[in-house]
Structure formats: C-alpha cells, structure tokens
Amino acid sequence: MSNLLTMTGKELRSHFVSPIAYAVMAFFLVLSGFFFATAVLFSQDSSLRYVFSDMSILLLLIVPLITMRLVAEEKKSGTIELLLTAPLRDGEVVLGKFLAALVFLGVMLAVTGYYALLIWIFGKPDWGAIISGYLGTMLLGAAYLSLGLFTSSLTQNQIIAGALGFALLMLFFLISWVADFTGPQFSGVVRYLGFTDHFDDFTKGVIDLKDAVFYISVVAVSLLLTVRVLESRRWK
Amino acid sequence: MIEVEKLTKYYGPKAALIDASFTVKKGEIVGLIGLNGAGKTTAMRILTGYMPPTSGKARVASYDVVEKSLEVRKRMGYMPESTPLYTDMSVRDYLTFMGRIKGIDRRSIRHRVDDVMKKTATTSYSNNLIGTLSKGYRQRVGLAQALIHDPDVLILDEPTVGLDPQQVHEVRKLIKDLAGKHTVILSSHILSEISMICSHVIIIHEGRIIAAGAPGSLSRGNTVRMVVRGPERDVRMKLGAVDKVVKVGCKSVESGLGTFDVDCAPGADVRERLAHAVASNGWGLLELSSGGISLEEEFLALVKKEVRI
C-alpha cells in the first residue's frame, strides 16, 4: 500500500511539473468553457448536459496527450529498468501511474465546477444531473486513461503511443455506428462496446450500475493488459 | 553471496550468454570484463531480476532470482548502464522516492538520504534538478540511489563510462570503499580499472566466461620482461641457461633491440642473474621489469585465442 502511494505521489508530481500538463489543461478549460457559455446562452438550459457531452469528445483528444508519456518515456530513458528492479510489483507501478493520471483528470474537472456555481448563482441547477454527469465523465475519463496507459506501455516512442491511444479511443467512441450495418444479432454487442451509449444516461441524471460496471471493466482489462506487457520481458 | 549456475540467455535465436557459472563471496568486488556486446549487461539484468535466463539458475543471498525476485530486489542495489534518472526531479526528491519504493520507512528516509548524499559527495546539489547536473554528478546520484537501502549486493553496469579522469578516480575510490560491507559486481571494458578495484575478475567473451580469477593470477605467472641489445638467438640461449628460467620468448626485435619474456619457476627471483647474464656477454640491458604481462595483454590474448578456436 505504501509502495502504491509513493508511486502515485511521484507520478502526480511529474504531471504537475510537466508543461504538457498545463497546456493540456488550458486547452481543455478554454474549449469546455466556450461550450458551456454557448450552451447556456442558446439553450437556456440549467443542466450541464450538453457541456458533459462536449467534454466527452474533448477528453477523447486530450487523454492520449496525458497518457502517451507515462510508460513510453520511462522506457526510452531507461528509468523503467530501475522501477522494475526495485522491490515493487509491476501492478503497483501500473496502478500508481493510473491513479495519478486519474487525480490529474479529477483536478481538471474540478476546475470546471465553477460552471455549476454560475448556474447556482443565476438560476436553479439540477444538482442530481450535475453530480451524475461528473461521475459519468470521471468514469469515461478513467476508461480513456487506462486505454491510453496501455498503448503507452507498448512502445518507447511517445508519439506512437499517443497516436495509437487516439486510434483506440476513436474506435471505441465510434464503434456504435457500425451497429447500423450489422445484422440484428450483432448490433446489441457492438452497441454495448461503444463508449457513448453508456455515457448518455449519466448526462441525463441517470446513474445505471450497468454503465458504471462497463467503464470499470474497461479500466480493469486495460490495466491488466498493461501489467502483462511490462511482464512480457520476463517471458522466456 | 551470489551463485550463478550454467546461466544461458537467448534473444530469439541469438545467444547472449552461454553456460555462465561463477560464485561471488560476501564482501568481494568482482569485475565482469568483456568487449561491447559480450554479455555483461545480460548477466547483470538476470541477476537483478529484470529478466529471466533461458536456462540455468542464479541465487543472490540464497534466494533464487526468478522465483524469489522480490526478496532478491530488496537486497540489491542496481545502477543500469548509462545511469537513467528522472531529470525533472531534484536530487533529494529522487533519492527519497527511490528509498521509499525500496522499503525505507517515512521516519528514517530523511536520515538515509542525507547519509548517501554525504557518502557520494552530492550534498551541495541536493536541491538541484538532476537534469542540470554534469555527467559525473549524475553518476554519483545513480550510485547514491543504488546505495540508499544499504543493500547487501551492488550491481553496477559500467559505472565509470563517460566520466573525466578526475571523476573516474573518485568513483573508483568510492566503489573501493564499499568493499567488505557490500558485495559488488561491476562491469567495464577498461582492464586497468578492473585490476585496480576488483579482487576477482571474470572475463566474458561472446557470451562465454573464458577466464576467471584474481587479477594477479590472470597475468601470466612469474615473468620478467627484458629489452636487450644483442643477437636474438644468442640472448635467448644465454638467458635460457640461467638457473630457474623455464622458457624465453622473444616478443619483437626492432633495430637490434629485442624484447624478451622470460618465464621463471614460481617464486624464484632471478632478475639479478638475468642482468648479470646480459652484462657478462657484453650486451646492452635497456629494460628489465617483473610482474609479468599486464591484464590488458592477457585479456586481448584470451579473446584472440578464443576467436581462433
């Protein structure tokens, strides 16, 4: 446990000293702020429903930028060799990196909390929908982050890790489109794999355990795969 | 402390290490020496548990490096080749992090970090970012990191590569001071370095251990080297006739100056008689040195011999 905390702390530190993190955060806040302003202005809607939908697309672009260096950079510089020969489990390394990225995402989303504050000052916010929206965005973000972390472990080139991560996220994001062409026997499965269908309920204020389980499963599988990739050097 | 039995490692079809066996006693400093690509790093990576051997066994402090990897890693300090470090961390933060993941608790970590910084003379840089340090100081931080949890075994992969002569001298001294308390394996392709620091040398060539022993035992026994001005054949004959001389070899003859290697019976000191033999024949003695052939020549000879086979 203490190992995990140490690992998370170190990763968190490296997020916040890196200029990439601030650029990414600024990019996210400017665009989501723009979407918030236009959504409130034109829809006169006091839920943050549209903002959350926009965020889910923004995160698609941003998460690979956050995750691409996580493992790839350590592979390139060789520091991974020190981590993996310290008395740490591979799982602790991966989980520490994931948790730190999740905290970073949490901080970024927390800054957008002033949207809700503004609505509260000037109107009547639907707190239930806002809380479930944030919960859904965090879950979706966690799934994105875990996939990004996985692609980062595959290569020592950050650009390749980022591009691969983006492609993988796009695939999961757009896969439900395919459901229109597949026969009825497959469309259910394909639709289930898509990220967006599970997300929509959260933005409407519905917390469905089924959806939460979906995202958590994606996280679990991705992290497990990442651990396996790190372990693969031990295969004979 | 370290037992290695028939270690073999293949990368795909290519063998990096073949049937390597050796043991290291507690407190020894052992040098792995070999040309680039000889298998030094592979051997070290197996010992640190970074990757498993294809076959064979290795034990550190009687723990198997594959099955009891975590136990081994707790007792091991490792400095990989080219000393990878987190360049965006300060020396203190970095050492604190490395110490914590190696199991030092929160209360004693500060003290330990101060201690290793003192030992490696990095205290005055404790708040500098590692990225701003010179190569020599990075090397020290890498060494400090390996020492932080006071490990029984230290594995240092080419610890002096890329340093200036002053730094090389200091790092060597540092390593030498570690002997006795820690068991050290280091690798190098500089022979003089190994013979200076190590109590034991293992020569690796193309994945095989081709020689092992104390640096002295590797240089060819009791040999006297002489440079004599005189006819080669006569000199050889006269020197060979001296009591206790086993064999006289002529290394080279250049403008009348012959370089001779005179092998003597173990323990015999015949230098005076050799000098007399030269002088009494009216030849010129320009040089006479004992101590045999340097490790460097021996190493190159061993490598060459191996290649010929």
Side-chain angles (χ1 to χ4, degrees), chain B residues 7-22:
Chain B
L7 225 46
T8 301
K9 176 78 189 177
Y10 279 91
Y11 295 116
K14 196 177 162 290
L17 204 60
I18 305 156
D19 270 345
S21 304
F22 59 90

Side-chain angles (χ1 to χ4, degrees), chain A residues 75-146:
Chain A
K75 277 192 165 180
K76 182 108 185 167
S77 72
T79 47
I80 196 81
E81 200 169 332
L82 278 175
L83 276 187
L84 298 180
T85 54
L88 275 178
R89 289 170 203 286
D90 294 355
E92 288 170 328
V93 174
V94 170
L95 201 56
K97 283 179 180 289
F98 173 71
L99 287 179
L102 199 60
V103 171
F104 179 78
L105 177 71
V107 170
M108 200 160 74
L109 286 180
V111 178
T112 66
Y114 77 89
Y115 305 160
L117 214 63
L118 284 175
I119 291 179
W120 182 59
I121 293 170
F122 296 106
K124 233 173 84 58
D126 178 355
W127 286 113
I130 289 176
I131 289 169
S132 82
Y134 272 116
L135 182 70
T137 312
M138 271 310 274
L139 282 170
L140 179 78
Y144 284 178
L145 286 172
S146 64

